Amino acid sequence: MTGLIWADTEKIKKCAARAISDIALQKNLNNAAEHEREARRELEGKLPWQEMRTMARQSKTGAIEDLPQLLDLFEKRAIEAGSIVKRATTGEEAAQYVASVCRAHSAKTVVKGKSMLSEEIDLNQVLASEGIEAIETDLGEYIVQKRGEHPSHILAPAVHLNAGQVGDLFSQLGGESPGSSDPAALVEFARRRLRQSFLNAKVGVSGANFAVAETGTLIIVESEGNIRMCMTMPDVHIAVVGIEKVVSDWQAAAHLVQMLPMAAQGTEMATNVSLITGPARAGEGKEKELHIVLVDSGRMKVREGPYREMLNCIHCAACLAACPVYRQVGGHTYGSTYNGPMGVILTPLLAAMEGGSAKLTELCSLCGACREVCPVDIPLDDFIIDIRSDDRESSKPSAESLLFTIWARLWSKPASYRASVKSTGKALVPFMRRAKARSWLSRAPFPASLWTKERNIKAPASEMFRDLWKKRQDGSR
Amino acid sequence: MGLVNEFIDRAEENGTSTELVRSEEEAGRRVVELAGAAAVTRWDDQIVAGLDLAETSPEKAELSLVVASYGIAPSGSLVLVHGAGRSAGAALLPPRQIVLLSSVAIVKNLIDALLPIYSDSDAIPANIVIVTGPSRTRDIGLVPVIGVHAPKELHVIVISAQV
């Protein structure tokens, strides 16, 4: 329960190749990314963005530093407000708790708002194994659930599909057909179907974007209104919340809740922001229950290590839109719940680097665009390199590491450095016959072939600088 | 008036239609005009409670009538505080929504609306929703569609004695 779905290099390469050749997907990914980036740039131009980032970073860093005390304070205030609080150390424990609450209320179906944490802990599968159906109500999640797929983007789960594919899916669902592939008609179709589910469900499950320790309040943002439905229509609301979501007070919360849509989509405020402090009380209609499950699942461990800052992530997905790799291969390729730059770091951290999860950091060109857009200033590119390095250091010596050791020895002595460079230059000559000096080569002999398998290499100059220099020195004497 | 104008401009930008009236009576008249023959559900607030309208349950209503506790100027947002006689369902289920907002309740930023509410620890409302425009999605082929589960049409009547 770490969000790692599979870590298989061959599978990643196949998915990536398929994604790159999928023209419709490429178009959608690029449009989504460009749209978000334009809106974000415009907004950032009008605001003291760097100051705001610094403030956001300080709020989060302070909260993670004080996390144990803040969790206790949050729990205390939430209970005072009438909530039931469950602290879950593992994802499994959290999922089992949700199932037990459903059983206690004889709930056979639950309506769910989008929650990446619930996917990380495989909640839907755990509920299904107990005979409980979890209906995803976020439109994008609803679509991918019906198709039996995993969501491909933290904010736009069905970004890999076009309206025609969605129209076909809805027609196959049985009952009436939407009649057209016009997105507005498809939305209306989904709205009508889901409305019945909202009104009939006994239990609603949501995540939370932030948890305010000062008053025991959960903050949930959305644009559709489906989460408001999940939280207020059924008699029981269960919120699954990662412990890193806790912030200390309302000043911090107000700032962060605005940074989120700004970084995510370039808008000042999300369409609906719900602030939930305890269940609906008697006199406000029917008495309801609110369960808040605070989930650790590897987060405290991360807090104790050198990557603590990763817990500052507010899940805005700005880094996904900025990442050239993500924009080419889409979310499915990563084989993990969290993808893009934040995903390739968070997944191995939550998985304690096991299961080959650190390999995810290879889905990165080290361009640093992610770090530039992060609203809380997380050094994402540094973390990616560090995780790669940690992974290498902990793995057994291989042919590759032997090669690097030999290379390092050769190049740490002037004589052998010169000799190896000269002989490499000579070896490349046959490949240069058609190419000019200093132009790009796409083929080269071993060991340069290891490079040219995936990248071009610059052809060496016809004369080495040190020889030219030596000639000039000798000539001037 | 600066904050009122800013609120109105930003609200219009996010898809909320707005109008400005001088009194609660005028607001009441406008509500009745806008409602027409539509079946309405409403909060218990005095300003809407007495109006002559065809009333029904939140599940069946076409139009909801609520009162905002605050307006947030820079984003054109409405702060709806749920509680006794101010149900979440009434504010959520009907596809059209009319919100009444007093101009003196329009504040210059989010924290100015939140601090008064959350400082009084004895009386923190269980559910508050900050609404910024009608519900929307781009989940299907990234095409923007207005109107999903929360109201599709949002209309604000700002009541200002100083118009």
Side-chain angles (χ1 to χ4, degrees), chain B residues 44-58:
Chain B
D44 284 355
D45 297 67
Q46 184 250 345
I47 188 176
V48 295
L51 298 174
D52 183 22
L53 298 161
E55 191 153 4
T56 182
S57 69

Side-chain angles (χ1 to χ4, degrees), chain A residues 85-100:
Chain A
V85 177
K86 164 76 180 170
R87 303 264 275 235
T89 312
T90 65
E92 178 73 36
E93 210 183 316
Q96 288 300 337
Y97 179 79
V98 176
S100 73

Side-chain angles (χ1 to χ4, degrees), chain A residues 28 35 138 140 186 191 195 198 215 223-224 226 229 232 250 269-277 279 281 283-284, chain B residues 59 83-84 89 91-93 111 118 124 126-136 138-140 142 148-150:
Chain A
N28 279 1
H35 182 272
D138 171 279
L186 295 173
R191 185 187 83 88
R195 193 171 168 101
F198 291 131
T215 53
S223 64
E224 295 176 24
N226 63 302
M229 288 285 196
T232 61
W250 280 98
M269 197 72 112
T271 309
N272 287 170
V273 180
S274 293
L275 311 172
I276 307 284
T277 315
R281 282 159 219 138
E284 290 171 22
Chain B
E59 290 84 358
L92 179 57
L93 288 161
I111 195 72
Y118 288 97
I124 294 176
N127 183 356
I128 295 175
V129 185
I130 306 171
V131 177
T132 309
S135 62
R136 64 196 75 207
R138 286 171 68 234
D139 275 356
I140 298 186
L142 296 172
V148 197
H149 302 290

Side-chain angles (χ1 to χ4, degrees), chain A residues 432 435-440 458-463:
Chain A
M432 283 172 59
K436 294 194 278 261
R438 303 313 288 154
S439 65
W440 292 99
K458 207 93 193 238
S462 48
E463 237 185 313

Side-chain angles (χ1 to χ4, degrees), chain A residues 81-201:
Chain A
S83 317
I84 298 165
V85 177
K86 164 76 180 170
R87 303 264 275 235
T89 312
T90 65
E92 178 73 36
E93 210 183 316
Q96 288 300 337
Y97 179 79
V98 176
S100 73
V101 174
C102 294
R103 274 197 310 271
H105 290 268
S106 313
K108 281 293 164 193
T109 63
V110 314
V111 286
K112 271 189 78 205
K114 192 155 84 95
S115 157
M116 299 308 288
L117 176 64
S118 73
E119 299 196 25
E120 181 195 321
I121 68 176
D122 283 333
L123 178 61
N124 292 6
Q125 287 82 318
V126 170
L127 290 176
S129 68
E130 307 255 340
I132 301 165
E133 188 196 358
I135 301 172
E136 292 291 350
T137 64
D138 171 279
L139 187 56
E141 295 276 347
Y142 175 74
I143 292 167
V144 304
Q145 182 178 55
K146 294 297 178 207
R147 278 178 58 111
E149 291 172 350
H150 285 285
S152 61
H153 187 289
I154 215 173
L155 293 185
V159 74
H160 56 295
L161 302 169
N162 60 44
Q165 289 169 297
V166 178
D168 291 339
L169 171 73
F170 283 178
S171 300
Q172 286 160 28
L173 285 181
E176 53 184 316
S177 135
S180 91
S181 326
D182 171 47
L186 295 173
V187 170
E188 176 59 28
F189 178 85
R191 185 187 83 88
R192 267 182 285 117
R193 280 187 86 104
L194 283 169
R195 193 171 168 101
Q196 279 319 303
S197 305
F198 291 131
L199 294 173
N200 296 337

Side-chain angles (χ1 to χ4, degrees), chain A residues 1 11 19 41 47 60 62 64 85 88 95 118 131 140 146 181 183 190 270 315 320 330 346 381 403 411 444 457 464:
Chain A
M1 303 225 161
K11 206 164 170 184
R41 255 187 239 128
L47 300 167
K60 282 291 303 188
I64 300 298
V85 177
S118 73
K146 294 297 178 207
S181 326
H315 295 233
L320 272 72
L346 191 59
D381 50 352
L403 210 65
W411 279 23
I457 198 170
M464 282 173 63

